[in-house]
Amino acid sequence: DSTNLRRQYNNTLERSATKRRKSLRDLTRKISKKSSTRSSDLSKKNEINPKAPIHKFRRGRQAQGRDTKIIITSRNSTTGTGKTTLAVWLALNWDQHGFDVSKATLEPQSYINRYLETMPGEVLIMDEAEQLDSRRSMSNTNVEFADRWQQLRYRQVDSILTLPTSS
């Protein structure tokens, strides 16, 4: 029965989303001793090098009053390569108001809603944004998100998306 299959699919998606949220929360705690308004609460070895090209690029965007948007992906849908770890590490280094798991989402609409509530200097993560991949590029969700993402660019908010593949 198609109704049962749909329920099973939705339950699987919800369990997966819950698992990802818990994973993000655990990863954030592991990388950072505590959430803070200063990246100095990261151990010295975990702080970003101020001379790193990505850090310089971000500072330049902020000096222009613009957002920084980063997409992290992996070749061949590879899992376990550190995409989420990199995203959280950047967020912990860059978020001037203290990054916590409430600033990470798995859903495009949640991302847009959260973006509209953020202050300059905050970092948002949309993890495992597979619904935005090229195979679904013309879906309503994808088109709407792409349009909104392009419009939301002058608030000095850093956005980091992780994608499972570069397709």
Side-chain angles (χ1 to χ4, degrees):
D1 179 73
S2 66
T3 304
N4 285 336
L5 285 174
R6 200 171 313 135
R7 273 191 205 124
Q8 263 184 326
Y9 177 74
N10 288 338
N11 287 340
T12 302
L13 284 177
E14 184 56 37
R15 280 193 305 274
S16 177
T18 300
K19 186 177 177 181
R20 286 300 298 165
R21 282 196 272 304
K22 182 182 181 313
S23 176
L24 273 168
R25 188 173 46 250
D26 293 346
L27 182 60
T28 302
R29 285 186 191 134
K30 186 176 181 179
I31 293 175
S32 174
K33 295 175 189 165
K34 61 182 179 179
S35 182
S36 165
T37 58
R38 297 175 51 224
S39 66
S40 62
D41 277 346
L42 289 171
S43 66
K44 193 69 171 165
K45 70 178 183 175
N46 284 330
E47 287 183 6
I48 195 166
N49 180 343
K51 295 179 183 177
I54 194 168
H55 192 58
K56 287 181 178 180
F57 173 77
R58 177 186 169 266
R59 281 195 319 254
R61 298 282 295 177
Q62 288 198 323
Q64 297 169 0
R66 311 238 357 226
D67 291 1
T68 303
K69 297 182 179 184
I70 297 171
I71 298 174
I72 301 170
T73 189
S74 174
R75 184 178 279 185
N76 300 325
S77 297
T78 307
T79 59
T81 57
K83 297 180 296 287
T84 301
T85 301
L86 176 59
V88 169
W89 179 75
L90 288 170
L92 287 167
N93 272 279
W94 289 344
D95 195 310
Q96 298 169 7
H97 302 280
F99 181 79
D100 62 60
V101 75
S102 72
K103 296 178 185 180
T105 184
L106 302 167
E107 301 294 327
Q109 191 57 52
S110 294
Y111 168 87
I112 297 294
N113 293 342
R114 180 70 178 154
Y115 180 94
L116 296 172
E117 299 168 355
T118 60
M119 298 181 294
E122 287 190 286
V123 178
L124 299 178
I125 294 176
M126 191 159 96
D127 194 36
E128 295 296 330
E130 63 248 359
Q131 63 272 38
L132 302 177
D133 73 9
S134 63
R135 291 182 297 275
R136 298 179 189 95
S137 63
M138 295 311 293
S139 73
N140 283 344
T141 300
N142 202 343
V143 170
E144 288 172 18
F145 180 82
D147 286 346
R148 294 297 299 271
W149 205 41
Q150 290 175 8
Q151 295 168 8
L152 305 172
R153 56 186 174 172
Y154 289 102
R155 299 198 53 225
Q156 295 178 324
V157 173
D158 298 324
S159 296
I160 304 171
L161 275 61
T162 67
L163 296 173
T165 182
S166 59
S167 62

